[in-house]
C-alpha cells in the first residue's frame, strides 16, 4: 500500500525558507517519479515540481523557478522541497505525490500522479 507522509510545513515570514519532506513506502521508490503539488485556499490543486527516477531531471512551474528546489534521497525513500524567498502567494497545503504504476514522467502530465499524501500546511505571512 502506497504511503506518502509530508512534514515540514508551518508559518514563515515573507522572504523566509522552509524545507518540506515526504517519506514514502509501499512501492519501489527509486523507480518512480515524485512530485510536489499545492492547493491554495479557494483554488484548484496545481503541480509545483517533479523529479524523475531515471536521471534525476527536475521541473518547476514558472511561479517557483529559482526559489524552490526538489531533491530525493533514494536510500531514505524521501523526497524534499526546499522553498526559499517565500511569498504570501505560496501559502497553500503542499502534497507529495507519485504514480505507483510508473506512468508519470518529469516533465509530464500532472494527471498521471495518482497517489497522494495528506498534505502539510504552509503559511507565508508577516
Amino acid at each position: 500500500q502506497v504511503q506518502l507522509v509530508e512534514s515540514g510545513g508551518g508559518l514563515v515570514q515573507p522572504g523566509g525558507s522552509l524545507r518540506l519532506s515526504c517519506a514514502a513506502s509501499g512501492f519501489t521508490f527509486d523507480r518512480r517519479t515524485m512530485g510536489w503539488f499545492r492547493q491554495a485556499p479557494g483554488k484548484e490543486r496545481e503541480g509545483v515540481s517533479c523529479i524523475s527516477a531515471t536521471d534525476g531531471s527536475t521541473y518547476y512551474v514558472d511561479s517557483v523557478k529559482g526559489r524552490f528546489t526538489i531533491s530525493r534521497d533514494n536510500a531514505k525513500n524521501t523526497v524534499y522541497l526546499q522553498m526559499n524567498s517565500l511569498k504570501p502567494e505560496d501559502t497553500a497545503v503542499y502534497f507529495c505525490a507519485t504514480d505507483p504504476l510508473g506512468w508519470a514522467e518529469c516533465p509530464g502530465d500532472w494527471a498521471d500522479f495518482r497517489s497522494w499524501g495528506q498534505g502539510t500546511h504552509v503559511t507565508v505571512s508577516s
Side-chain angles (χ1 to χ4, degrees):
Q1 182 179 358
V2 173
Q3 282 197 320
L4 300 169
V5 180
E6 302 94 335
S7 61
L11 173 64
V12 63
Q13 293 186 342
S17 298
L18 283 175
R19 188 194 195 202
L20 306 183
S21 300
C22 172
S25 62
F27 63 100
T28 309
F29 180 82
D30 61 358
R31 297 183 181 180
R32 295 293 178 259
T33 296
M34 299 298 297
W36 284 98
F37 290 69
R38 67 185 179 186
Q39 186 166 18
K43 295 188 177 181
E44 293 186 354
R45 187 160 53 189
E46 65 168 344
V48 174
S49 180
C50 60
I51 184 167
S52 73
T54 53
D55 59 4
S57 59
T58 58
Y59 171 84
Y60 301 92
V61 68
D62 285 347
S63 59
V64 308
K65 279 182 182 176
R67 301 189 297 121
F68 290 11
T69 303
I70 190 171
S71 61
R72 63 191 298 160
D73 185 336
N74 289 339
K76 296 182 178 179
N77 282 10
T78 301
V79 62
Y80 305 96
L81 187 68
Q82 177 67 43
M83 305 187 297
N84 299 329
S85 302
L86 283 162
K87 304 176 181 180
E89 51 263 43
D90 294 318
T91 295
V93 179
Y94 284 73
F95 300 89
C96 172
T98 191
D99 172 22
L101 298 180
W103 290 104
E105 297 181 340
C106 181
D109 189 344
W110 294 117
D112 287 335
F113 289 85
R114 298 180 176 86
S115 294
W116 306 86
Q118 82 289 347
T120 185
H121 289 257
V122 172
T123 301
V124 184
S125 175
S126 55

